[in-house]
Structures are given as structure tokens and as C-alpha cells.
Amino acid sequence: AHSSRMPLGARTDLADAAYVGVESYDDVVERAPPNDAVERAVSRAFDFVLVPVTIDDFSKLSVAPGAYAASPSMHSDGCLDSATWSARVVMRLSRATQRDGVMGGEEAGARRELAWAAHVGANAVTFSLDARHRAANVRYANIVSGSLGMLTHTKVWARVRVDDETLEDEDGARPSASSCETSYVEWAAFMSACEHDANVYALLEVGGGDVVHGTWRRWIGERVGAVVLRVDAFKTNARGFPVLPK
């Protein structure tokens, strides 16, 4: 994320690093107001927080094409000021929307949550491209390309895994290509469907799997918004501290 309100960007002892945030996976957080997550993150010296979309009653509203159903008087809208939304908050489409909605062929929930992220002015909104579910990735491209007009102040981060993981497609067969390779192919197809819009970025997720030689070089030429380091990407060194492998 990027904003002048994020203090880490002013430091000179971190080489090319700019901002460091924290992501919450706790189901309870999905029902908690975003200001609580922001306060916890800032108190722990993080610059921003990545949290699920919290919409209150907006989730019950239907968003017709060309209509905007959100009201600025809703609680989760007013719990943060506009400067904090844009500087401190990155939103993730909710688990239910990603798993049960888009994966199942339903797009309305994702469109509502993108509309809400744009409405509050979050710094970015993210979702996962899954190398095992090409049909869902095509739906994401359709959803995002149709929503870019309202996401003028909110970036789109398409999340992809860049370490090798065990993959099985819908039929249970393991693809012949590595997950690193498949993820890049899905990202390239997604960007092409979005006509390489300048507001769309990759969010690279690194886990505990091996990173195939040459993977990072391939991504150098891509528009990357951030890198996520999962807990399992770290190893314990001889002194008992978590470190990244060389």
C-alpha cells in the first residue's frame, strides 16, 4: 500500500522497503469493525492492515447495473475517516464470497464487496487467483473489468502463489506444470482480460514451498503491488528466531 501517512516510508535504514502491513485470517475479525484491526496493527508498529470486507447491512442490498446502493451513514463506513481508509486499510473479499460465491459461479457478492471497497476509499482490494480453478479466475476478470470504472481511488491486487505447492485440479489430477508456472499463466490471462489496466496489480504470496529458479526474474517486469510472506515461509535459525531461507 502507498500513502504519505504511512511513517515507514520516511525511514532510510530499510533499503528499498517501503511499508509493512499485517493480514488477519481470524473469522472473528470478519465480524469486527475495521477500526479495531487498524488500532491493533498500528499499536504493533505496522503501517496498514489487510482485513476482510465488512459491509454491515450493505451486504443485504442488491446492486443493479448502473445503480449505487450504498449509504454513507452505515456504521462500517463511518468508523474510520477517509484518510485512514486510504492509508491504512487494504480489503480482502470475504471467504464466503470467494469460496462459495465466485468459485460456485455467482458474481453478485464479489461485485457488492468491490463496490463497498470503492465506496469507503480503501487503499486496495484483493482476492485470490487459484491455479486450480481457471473458470473462477475468468469470472474474477469479468467482475474486475466491469468494476474498474468505480475503483478510481482503490487499487486491485490479484493474489497469486509464487512458491511451489501441491496442486490438484477439479478432477483430482495434478497438473504437469509447476504451480509457480501455472500461477503466472493465470495472472497473465487475468491482466489481458483487464486490458492491462494501470490500477490492477499482482499481490505475490510466498509460502513454505520451493520457489522455482527464475521465478522472481519473471515477475520483475510485472506490476506488483505487494508481497505477502506467510508464516510457513519462515524457518527457525540456530538462535530460535524466525528467518527467511536464503
Side-chain angles (χ1 to χ4, degrees), residues 1-6 38 47-48 77-90 119-123 153:
H2 180 75
S3 168
S4 59
R5 286 177 60 89
M6 295 183 182
V38 170
D47 300 296
F48 66 95
D77 182 359
C79 66
L80 294 171
D81 60 40
S82 60
T84 304
W85 276 115
S86 64
R88 300 285 190 185
V89 179
V90 174
H119 174 69
V120 299
N123 186 285
H153 301 292

Side-chain angles (χ1 to χ4, degrees), residues 76-111:
S76 63
D77 182 359
C79 66
L80 294 171
D81 60 40
S82 60
T84 304
W85 276 115
S86 64
R88 300 285 190 185
V89 179
V90 174
M91 287 184 150
R92 182 183 71 242
L93 296 191
S94 65
R95 291 179 182 175
T97 291
Q98 294 194 71
R99 182 185 61 238
D100 304 326
V102 178
M103 290 291 184
E106 193 270 339
E107 299 182 1
R111 294 184 188 277

Side-chain angles (χ1 to χ4, degrees), residues 5-194:
R5 286 177 60 89
M6 295 183 182
L8 191 60
R11 293 178 59 171
T12 60
D13 60 335
L14 295 172
D16 294 330
Y19 312 119
V20 178
V22 61
E23 179 175 13
S24 174
Y25 279 101
D26 193 342
D27 287 344
V28 176
V29 175
E30 298 199 17
R31 298 188 296 272
N35 55 308
D36 289 349
V38 170
E39 290 174 4
R40 286 195 300 271
V42 172
S43 69
R44 292 164 172 78
F46 290 105
D47 300 296
F48 66 95
V49 63
L50 199 163
V51 294
V53 174
T54 303
I55 313 183
D56 290 344
D57 291 338
F58 181 64
S59 60
K60 302 175 184 177
L61 301 175
S62 60
V63 180
Y68 190 70
S71 166
S73 63
M74 292 178 181
H75 172 69
S76 63
D77 182 359
C79 66
L80 294 171
D81 60 40
S82 60
T84 304
W85 276 115
S86 64
R88 300 285 190 185
V89 179
V90 174
M91 287 184 150
R92 182 183 71 242
L93 296 191
S94 65
R95 291 179 182 175
T97 291
Q98 294 194 71
R99 182 185 61 238
D100 304 326
V102 178
M103 290 291 184
E106 193 270 339
E107 299 182 1
R111 294 184 188 277
R112 283 195 297 268
E113 294 187 1
L114 286 173
W116 184 252
H119 174 69
V120 299
N123 186 285
V125 60
T126 183
F127 52 86
S128 296
L129 296 180
D130 194 324
R132 298 163 294 188
H133 298 283
R134 178 163 295 180
N137 297 340
V138 172
R139 282 191 286 273
Y140 274 126
N142 181 51
I143 293 166
V144 170
S145 61
S147 302
L148 286 170
M150 65 181 173
L151 292 164
T152 52
H153 301 292
T154 299
K155 295 181 285 294
V156 175
W157 289 356
R159 187 172 189 150
V160 293
R161 286 286 295 268
V162 295
D163 60 311
D164 246 355
E165 57 176 335
T166 301
L167 290 181
E168 290 186 352
D169 61 21
E170 291 92 338
D171 299 323
R174 180 178 173 81
S176 57
S178 72
S179 56
C180 297
E181 173 74 20
T182 306
S183 294
Y184 183 82
V185 170
E186 292 300 317
W187 156 255
F190 175 81
M191 274 297 283
S192 178
C194 293

Side-chain angles (χ1 to χ4, degrees), residues 215-228:
T215 294
W216 292 116
R217 185 177 303 172
R218 164 173 280 179
W219 286 99
I220 288 175
E222 299 296 331
R223 189 180 297 116
V224 176
V227 176
V228 171

